[in-house]
Amino acid sequence: MASAPQQLPLFYNGLEPLSSELHANYRLRPANAAPFLRNQHAIPVTVEEFPLVQRFMPIVFSAGDDAVPIALMALNEGLNVFVDADGKLTEENFYVPAYVRRYPFMLARLRPDAQELSLCFDPTADTLGAFDEGDALFDGAEPTELTRNILSFNESFEQAGARTAAFIQELRELELLMEGEVSIQHEGYEQPFVYRGFQMVNEEKLMDLRGDQLRKMSKSGMLPLIYAHLFSLALMRDIFARQVRLGYLPQPNPMV
């Protein structure tokens, strides 16, 4: 299970700032599929999403010092048990993480030393371009309501990302993160399938925290988020079973 990419973020093949001059005739057309999800087993999520995500997918933390919370859409790389071969969701009632919904847009610094974030897009995305159909991004030199809503959504996502980083920092300061491992015994196999390469909250250390620490976490809303993560781990076996039902022979290799 990999840490967050160091250069272009997951899914993005390039980034170009959105401009009313260069993209005045650009339109966004709706998509009923996300082909980029087909082979992606882990999606970054923010802490605000934990209560919804934990109903459908396990929430774990990526390996390494720069851990991020991720929702597992499969246990093995190259798989996704929630989308079909075209990238369409196979579930009618399913929570799609905000990281997926913001694509092909994102806020980014145009230069390493820039202070402000600019609304950018992936120029390789097939939902955005100088099409005859779709919703306009600009009305003359002014952004349309659609573009303003896209900007607002991305700003909210960045703010949620900052709160998520603070949550992770608090977990580290309390030394609550540990290396994770899940062992699943599958019928017909002598040895269990053991998955590693992720982090999770150490429940024993959590229970051993002082009362004042627990009260602080409860008041800040951190404690319910931790338990959403812990409860979601039971879905590991459900994801494994989905892989088996879909004909993906599980590989007893650690997630990387």
Side-chain angles (χ1 to χ4, degrees), residues 20 43 61 64 85 87 108-109 113 225 231:
S20 60
I43 307 297
F61 301 92
R109 290 181 174 82
D113 59 342
L225 297 175
F231 292 154

Side-chain angles (χ1 to χ4, degrees), residues 194-251:
V194 179
Y195 292 93
R196 303 185 183 92
F198 63 95
Q199 297 183 81
M200 57 183 287
V201 168
N202 187 325
E203 199 165 359
E204 290 186 6
K205 282 192 174 182
L206 177 64
M207 291 187 293
D208 287 339
L209 289 178
R210 300 191 314 267
D212 61 316
Q213 292 174 313
L214 288 170
R215 282 194 298 273
K216 179 182 176 182
M217 292 167 64
S218 180
K219 288 184 177 181
S220 69
M222 184 177 180
L223 198 57
L225 297 175
I226 290 176
Y227 277 108
H229 148 65
L230 290 172
F231 292 154
S232 78
L233 298 179
L235 293 175
M236 289 277 203
R237 285 165 175 76
D238 292 346
I239 299 296
F240 182 91
R242 279 176 174 265
Q243 291 187 186
V244 174
R245 288 198 303 271
L246 291 171
Y248 298 129
L249 181 64
Q251 299 298 314

Side-chain angles (χ1 to χ4, degrees), residues 87-100:
K88 294 182 180 179
L89 282 173
T90 57
E91 304 289 318
E92 290 187 6
N93 297 310
F94 185 80
Y95 178 76
V96 178
Y99 189 97
V100 176

Side-chain angles (χ1 to χ4, degrees), residues 152-174:
S152 178
F153 180 82
N154 279 268
E155 288 174 340
S156 296
F157 183 84
E158 291 298 319
Q159 294 163 3
R163 290 189 288 272
T164 302
F167 173 82
I168 297 291
Q169 180 61 30
E170 187 72 15
L171 290 180
R172 289 214 173 279
E173 290 178 359
L174 294 170

